[in-house]
Amino acid sequence: MALVKYNNNSISAVTSAASIPSGAMTLIKTLTASSSSTLSFVHGSSDVVLDSTYPIYVFKFINIHPSTDDKKFEFNMSVDTGSNYNVAKTTTWFQAYHAENDAGAALAYNKSVDLAQGTGFQTISGNVGIVSDSNVGGYLYLFNPSSTTFVKHFIASAVTNTSGTPSYVQNAYIAGYGNTTSAVDAIQFKMDTGNIDLGSIKLYGIKDS
């Protein structure tokens, strides 16, 4: 929750407790996976808001676990309320990683998972394992998706304990834009193959930003 700072004048202007803002970030929707092929946030569906109500939206992914081994977590955008997830994107992708047994560590750009006007799904995470304690955690910020003037910038990061032996911790950083001046009104998440076995994604809107 954001901290709100008041001066003497602002406090004297408060006439009731309800006038004090509760914070800038508002939880809109939580989707929970159960062997789910996709998790989709579609504006106007199931209480999802993804329009000009907020200038910034944040998706937080928590304990995302695949149904099959060695799979990547990914997302795409839609401009037709989820009929198609195929917005052209140009992106960057780099990672830091370190092996459990200290056998290797690096910071590197990964060209194999960036996009140059690609309409496919954008990879967010490294290859996550199927063992019971493996999962993906992270976030995606989407800026002004309702704009009909500007492209749609986003920033994402994810931490993964990867498949294989030894397992690696991998922290991925992704940024880019959806190259469309149409309003983006739906976001879909999935594994590159197979289902999302378990985990949840929370959608927040950030006020006054």
Side-chain angles (χ1 to χ4, degrees):
M1 179 181 294
L3 293 177
V4 180
K5 183 178 180 180
Y6 293 96
N7 57 33
N8 289 335
N9 290 335
S10 60
I11 291 295
S12 65
V14 174
T15 58
S16 68
S19 300
I20 301 176
S22 60
M25 186 173 287
T26 301
L27 177 62
I28 297 170
K29 184 72 177 181
T30 300
L31 296 180
T32 301
S34 180
S35 296
S36 305
S37 59
T38 61
L39 292 176
S40 303
F41 294 84
V42 180
H43 174 67
S45 175
S46 302
D47 300 320
V48 171
V49 175
L50 196 61
D51 62 5
S52 60
T53 302
Y54 301 96
I56 301 174
Y57 289 86
V58 184
F59 300 85
K60 295 189 177 183
F61 5 104
I62 303 162
N63 295 338
I64 300 296
H65 186 267
S67 61
T68 51
D69 192 38
D70 201 33
K71 303 305 176 189
K72 297 181 177 72
F73 188 54
E74 56 186 19
F75 88 101
N76 210 334
M77 297 180 279
S78 173
V79 297
D80 52 16
T81 57
S83 294
N84 298 280
Y85 291 93
N86 59 359
V87 171
K89 295 169 293 299
T90 295
T91 65
T92 63
W93 208 102
F94 72 95
Q95 63 189 355
Y97 63 85
H98 189 195
E100 284 184 354
N101 64 358
D102 205 24
L107 173 66
Y109 190 86
N110 190 340
K111 186 173 176 54
S112 68
V113 287
D114 66 12
L115 297 172
Q117 289 303 99
T119 58
F121 277 69
Q122 172 61 54
T123 297
I124 298 174
S125 78
N127 291 46
V128 63
I130 195 175
V131 294
S132 59
D133 64 349
S134 290
N135 68 96
V136 177
Y139 60 81
L140 166 69
Y141 279 79
L142 178 61
F143 299 92
N144 200 16
S146 66
S147 173
T148 55
T149 302
F150 299 111
V151 298
K152 311 305 185 292
H153 289 290
F154 59 84
I155 299 171
S157 181
V159 61
T160 308
N161 50 319
T162 64
S163 60
T165 304
S167 181
Y168 283 72
V169 59
Q170 182 188 71
N171 192 186
Y173 296 90
I174 307 96
Y177 57 88
N179 194 12
T180 179
T181 55
S182 297
V184 167
D185 52 16
I187 301 289
Q188 185 174 89
F189 297 89
K190 67 182 186 69
M191 308 308 295
D192 58 347
T193 57
N195 292 340
I196 304 173
D197 179 43
L198 298 168
S200 61
I201 304 176
K202 292 180 177 288
L203 170 61
Y204 297 83
I206 300 182
K207 296 179 180 178
D208 303 325
S209 49

